[in-house]
Amino acid sequence: MAITYHAGRRIQGTSSDQTVPNANRGTIDTSSSAGNTIITFTGDGTFTPTSSFDVQYLVVAGGGGGGIGGGAGAGGFRTATGFGITAQNYAITVGAGGDGFGSGHSSEPGDSGVDSSFGTITSTGGGGGGYADQDGANGGSGSGSGGNSQSGTARYGGISSPVTSPVQGYAGGGWGSHYGNPYASAGGGGSSAVGQDRQSTSSSGSGGAGTANPIVGSTAGISGYLAGGGGGAGSNATGYGSGGGGGNAGGNGSQGIVIIKFATSGNTYDTGTPSALLGSTNVQVGSRFEETDTRKMY
């Protein structure tokens, strides 16, 4: 709080923003993987270890929305083992998928997906699918370029940006030497492969392949392959973080996900409401408080 001293022994303060943890603690599973705890977040939340230990994480961003032709890029896919954490609050953000062309859009590309994060680990939302005579958009995975070229000018897919190590995704496809058809277009990049170029004046490219879930395996709901690219003027990819397919009604990108896995024995974490939320009072930011100094001591 900023304090100002005025004449007449008046003291005035102005409140400011205070960041507090989100009460969502994720879905906790201690039975699917023997000896391990798996916490899954499908919405924003907070992970609070109360001791230091290593975790495996998976952070998938929201997939891009398909363009008018161009397939969208998959959300960034980042995973690692042996990631050290300490006793503190780790903010979890789960990104939404981007809207595709035709979902409240007209004459514009699909929206890019929204970033997901686990503390300082951020996966970038997938690039929104390209449209008429445009290159694809950059993102966790880049989107494919759109259709409708009569000019003979080559167009290119978006790239995976920013660059991470290991890579969080791949580039979308482009047009190469194939022009003329107003609908044939390129596929969006996936988390394990580039999107396919436009194949001919009448054949679109497929989206890049996704990646098998490295943590959950066969658990219902989030098994299989995640973060696949959307096909150019074709079908949507499936799985969390996947890009929407392009077309006259481009598919919406799917939401992201964050999963944390660690050995159950000896590793402790908080499952209750974050302490910063207990007993807190809602005070409008910018409210002013005033007190007169009575010289009384307490």
Side-chain angles (χ1 to χ4, degrees):
M1 175 182 291
I3 300 294
T4 306
Y5 295 89
H6 299 277
R9 297 184 181 139
R10 290 183 300 114
I11 303 171
Q12 195 173 67
T14 303
S15 69
S16 58
D17 283 315
Q18 180 181 7
T19 301
V20 295
N22 189 299
N24 175 27
R25 293 295 194 178
T27 301
I28 299 169
D29 178 4
T30 57
S31 61
S32 295
S33 178
N36 294 299
T37 295
I38 298 172
I39 304 180
T40 300
F41 291 87
T42 55
D44 295 352
T46 305
F47 174 56
T48 306
T50 53
S51 59
S52 298
F53 51 93
D54 289 346
V55 303
Q56 179 179 7
Y57 66 79
L58 171 64
V59 180
V60 180
I68 184 166
F77 184 105
R78 301 190 67 183
T79 187
T81 59
F83 181 73
I85 59 173
T86 58
Q88 60 177 298
N89 289 318
Y90 288 87
I92 305 293
T93 301
V94 175
D99 287 340
F101 174 84
S103 300
H105 294 279
S106 61
S107 66
E108 57 182 297
D111 287 341
S112 292
V114 180
D115 297 353
S116 292
S117 62
F118 161 41
T120 60
I121 305 299
T122 299
S123 293
T124 307
Y131 72 112
D133 282 329
Q134 299 293 318
D135 294 332
N138 299 340
S141 283
S143 68
S145 56
N148 199 34
S149 175
Q150 304 296 329
S151 65
T153 301
R155 295 296 181 186
Y156 303 94
I159 63 171
S160 176
S161 178
V163 176
T164 61
S165 181
V167 297
Q168 62 175 322
Y170 288 85
W175 287 349
S177 59
H178 303 298
Y179 317 114
N181 188 289
Y183 302 111
S185 50
S191 56
S192 65
V194 298
Q196 200 173 40
D197 288 344
R198 180 176 178 169
Q199 296 300 286
S200 70
T201 57
S202 59
S203 177
S204 296
S206 301
T211 304
N213 189 319
I215 293 181
V216 178
S218 61
T219 297
I222 47 179
S223 60
Y225 283 76
L226 310 181
S235 62
N236 297 340
T238 58
Y240 284 88
S242 295
N248 287 333
N252 295 333
S254 57
Q255 72 168 44
I257 194 168
V258 174
I259 307 176
I260 302 167
K261 177 181 177 181
F262 51 90
T264 301
S265 178
N267 297 327
T268 58
Y269 59 98
D270 196 347
T271 59
T273 300
S275 58
L277 293 178
L278 296 176
S280 60
T281 302
N282 270 335
V283 178
Q284 184 175 354
V285 173
S287 298
R288 295 170 72 87
F289 304 89
E290 187 171 308
E291 177 181 328
T292 299
D293 184 359
T294 61
R295 292 183 179 272
K296 291 182 179 179
M297 304 292 290
Y298 296 97

